[in-house]
Structures are given as C-alpha cells and as structure tokens.
Amino acid sequence: MKRTAFFISDGTGITAETLGNSLLAQFESIEFERVTLPYVDSTEKALKAVERINSKAAEKGHPVIIFDTIVNKDIRKIIDQANGLNIDIFTAFLAPIEKALEVESSYSVGKSHSATTSPNYLHRIDAVNFALDNDDGARTRHYAEADIILVGVSRSGKTPTCLYMAMQFGIKAANYPLTEEDMMDLRIPKSLEPFRQKLFGLTIDPDRLAAIRNERRANSRYASLKQCYHEIDEVEMLYQRENIPFISTTDKSIEEISTRIMAETGLERRLQS
C-alpha cells in the first residue's frame, strides 16, 4: 500500500513532521509519500494548500493524511475543508494541557523554533561547532571541554552521532577514530588517557561495516570483510579490557544510538527543548 501524508504549518513544519512521522512509523506495511508545506500563514496560501491536497487525493483515489500545526483559526478552517483525515496537533494536545494548568496557551506561531539569540539556541550552535571542530581526532587538546568522546573504528557512526547529540541535546561530543596502530597493544591511545571517564565506544557488525566502506572505497583492503572482522574483534577486546562502555550501531538509528548513550552515561540534556 502507498498513501500520502501532508505536514502543514504556519511555521517551519518541524513539529508537524516530528510528531506525524512518529505516528506513521507505526504502520510498517504502508509506504508513505510525505509532503511538507511550511509557512502556510495566509488565506491565500491555505487555499493553495487545499488545492494541492485535493489534487493529490484525486490522483491517488483516496483521502490523504494531514498533520497540521496551524495556530490561526481562520486558516485552520480552510485546511479542514481538504479531502483528507486532518489531525490538528495543537488542538489535540494543547486543549487538555490548558485544562490541567488552568491557563490558556499563547498560540504563538513558531514558538519552539524561534529566538535565535536565546541562550538555548546559542548553546546548540556552540555544541554543533564543537562537534565539527573535534571530529575524527582533529583537536584532542580541546577534549577537556567535551561532555563525551566517542571512539570506534572508521565508519562506525561516530560523526553523525556527535552531530545529533549536539543538535538535539546540546551535548559537546568529540570523536576519535581507533586505528590498527591504536589497537595493536590493546590500550587506550595516550592522547585519550586523561579523558578515560568520558570515553564511550561504538561497534558495528563487520558485514555491515564492509558494506558501508565499500560504498566509499570499493574493493580495497580497508573495505575487505577480513579487515573489518579483524578491526571489530580488536576494538571490542579493547573496550572490554579498558572497561569502556559501548553499544552496537548495526541496527539502530542515530536517534536511538544517541538516546541510549545519554541514558547509559547519565548525561543530561543541555537544551530546554
């Protein structure tokens, strides 16, 4: 089966996408075509959005699924006229919260993705810059500032995990690639020794690692199955010998890897949202 889902917002659409995709993920047997329509903040834009939704519904022969975070009631009434199942995220969640708090929501557009001069936003940018500056063992002299240092063989998922932790949690995450030379005597590299308590290891299934490396450097020793098995065996022995906590990234998303690391290390989110 293939269905269409629209994410509509008078802001960036990030909230509609995040919540909507979380719900759609529960329907594994259905393939979804996803369409995001951000900044639908006028009657004219709302009418064009409805026209596009209805056109897609007519083309596919069935109503579409609509997730919206529209604040303006007049614009939302127009969206409600579209040929689809409309899930108004704000109304669904804000109404019961208002009742519990006995306070009305401000219903402000783009509230969760604004204020680029706020401490929260600046902390996120600082964490992202730190992750980029301390990628792949580039500047070990800054590791004293790190909240965590991810270690692992090449292509085990260190960089994307560091960037996700910076973006979503405001965590200053550095990463260091463990090479054959580093693992030769099954000891932590000297440059990492002072930061032993900050280390967290990533490992991966050797077959999966070989497939990833072959996309980058096909038919090389670096990507050979034999080399990948050797490196993973060595790095896992190193983790165990040095008591470095580690997880496998083989069948996990970046979101899950990052969240598990946060939970296992006890790191706390640095951002308010």
Side-chain angles (χ1 to χ4, degrees):
M1 294 180 63
K2 187 170 184 178
R3 301 294 293 267
T4 304
F6 278 81
F7 307 100
I8 305 177
S9 174
D10 41 20
T12 62
I14 293 173
T15 301
E17 287 179 335
T18 301
L19 291 175
N21 280 320
S22 294
L23 295 171
L24 296 181
Q26 304 303 314
F27 301 91
E28 298 179 358
S29 62
I30 300 177
E31 179 183 353
F32 287 97
E33 175 187 356
R34 294 167 168 82
V35 181
T36 301
L37 303 179
Y39 303 110
V40 179
D41 52 9
S42 68
T43 299
E44 181 182 1
K45 291 179 181 179
L47 290 171
K48 287 183 178 180
V50 169
E51 182 180 347
R52 184 170 176 182
I53 292 169
N54 290 344
S55 175
K56 178 63 70 171
E59 174 191 336
K60 298 298 183 181
H62 51 68
V64 302
I65 309 296
I66 305 166
F67 297 95
D68 89 70
T69 52
I70 301 292
V71 171
N72 185 287
K73 293 180 180 179
D74 293 330
I75 294 176
R76 199 163 64 234
K77 285 180 181 178
I78 296 173
I79 299 298
D80 285 339
Q81 297 171 13
N83 182 15
L85 170 64
N86 193 3
I87 300 171
D88 178 2
I89 293 173
F90 276 176
T91 298
F93 291 104
L94 286 180
I97 294 175
E98 287 177 333
K99 184 177 180 180
L101 297 177
E102 298 181 346
V103 175
E104 287 191 1
S105 162
S106 63
Y107 286 90
S108 301
V109 177
K111 195 70 174 179
S112 61
H113 306 291
S114 59
T116 57
T117 57
S118 70
N120 209 41
Y121 180 84
L122 295 176
H123 195 103
R124 174 182 282 116
I125 294 301
D126 189 37
V128 171
N129 284 334
F130 183 87
L132 292 172
D133 289 342
N134 294 275
D135 182 44
D136 241 10
R139 299 183 180 182
T140 57
R141 66 180 181 276
H142 296 307
Y143 280 5
E145 299 176 38
D147 295 311
I148 191 168
I149 303 167
L150 300 186
V151 294
V153 301
S154 172
R155 313 307 285 179
S156 57
K158 300 182 300 300
T159 297
T161 302
C162 284
L163 287 172
Y164 185 88
M165 293 178 75
M167 279 290 296
Q168 297 300 318
F169 306 126
I171 295 296
K172 286 188 174 182
N175 76 77
Y176 185 98
L178 293 172
T179 65
E180 283 186 280
E181 183 179 342
D182 291 325
M183 295 180 285
M184 194 170 295
D185 58 359
L186 289 181
R187 293 189 181 278
I188 296 175
K190 290 183 179 179
S191 58
L192 296 181
E193 188 63 47
F195 314 106
R196 173 184 290 270
Q197 299 305 314
K198 297 183 179 184
L199 301 182
F200 196 97
L202 300 185
T203 187
I204 187 171
D205 178 76
D207 294 272
R208 175 62 179 153
L209 180 61
I212 294 172
R213 287 183 173 183
N214 265 296
E215 292 178 5
R216 185 182 187 188
R217 207 178 299 169
N219 303 317
S220 63
R221 176 177 177 272
Y222 165 79
S224 71
L225 199 56
K226 180 180 179 180
Q227 179 65 18
C228 291
Y229 266 93
H230 170 70
E231 289 186 28
I232 294 302
D233 284 344
E234 292 291 305
V235 79
E236 290 186 359
M237 287 175 64
L238 173 63
Y239 294 155
Q240 292 165 1
R241 173 171 176 170
E242 298 290 344
N243 293 317
I244 299 172
F246 68 96
I247 61 171
S248 172
T249 64
T250 306
D251 55 356
K252 297 179 180 66
S253 65
I254 295 300
E255 295 88 343
E256 184 179 357
I257 295 167
S258 302
T259 305
R260 284 180 178 272
I261 290 173
M262 294 286 288
E264 291 190 26
T265 60
L267 282 173
E268 295 184 359
R269 177 192 290 270
R270 303 281 189 262
L271 306 177
Q272 295 302 309
S273 61

